[in-house]
Amino acid sequence: TDMRAKAILQEADSGAPKLWVTYRALTLRRAHPEWFDAKSTYTPLFAAGAKAQHFVGYLRGSHVITIVPRWPLGLGDDWSGTTVDLSVGNWTNLLTNEVVRGGTTRVADVLKRFPVALLVKEQE
């Protein structure tokens, strides 16, 4: 069974968050290898706002978005309204099961329950 994001974060000393992210990413890759093959491009995402320098994100092909903080200690968990433009559509965060709408999105909203995001575009 899947552990909830909050429970996984409480086990940070054991390495559980890193294992959870790795497990979810590899499970996705096994389910959709075509999204990760040599033809699948990396498109950088750029944030806008006071803490944009702390944002790292990219779109893999057209189905997967990865978002991570850069220099998290200096960030202090305060994104100060920083936003990112996500591709149109609904995206499911595989780490929290939350749905994120495409368009201009607050980074703090995407990362409020887990410090990184692995978003998968919902099929139309």
Side-chain angles (χ1 to χ4, degrees), residues 12-25:
D13 290 342
S14 72
K18 289 179 184 178
L19 291 173
W20 176 244
V21 171
T22 302
Y23 167 75
R24 296 300 286 165

Side-chain angles (χ1 to χ4, degrees), residues 6-81:
K6 185 175 181 180
I8 292 166
L9 286 175
Q10 291 174 345
E11 300 295 326
D13 290 342
S14 72
K18 289 179 184 178
L19 291 173
W20 176 244
V21 171
T22 302
Y23 167 75
R24 296 300 286 165
L26 290 174
T27 300
L28 176 63
R29 185 180 177 123
R30 182 176 41 199
H32 296 283
E34 70 279 10
W35 294 353
F36 299 91
D37 65 17
K39 294 178 278 184
S40 183
T41 59
Y42 288 92
T43 305
L45 299 176
F46 299 99
K51 302 288 181 96
Q53 74 275 15
H54 290 276
F55 177 90
V56 176
Y58 64 89
L59 173 66
R60 180 72 192 258
S62 59
H63 294 90
V64 181
I65 291 176
T66 301
I67 296 174
V68 299
R70 179 177 178 216
W71 305 317
L73 293 178
L75 179 63
D77 214 16
D78 173 18
W79 285 96
S80 300

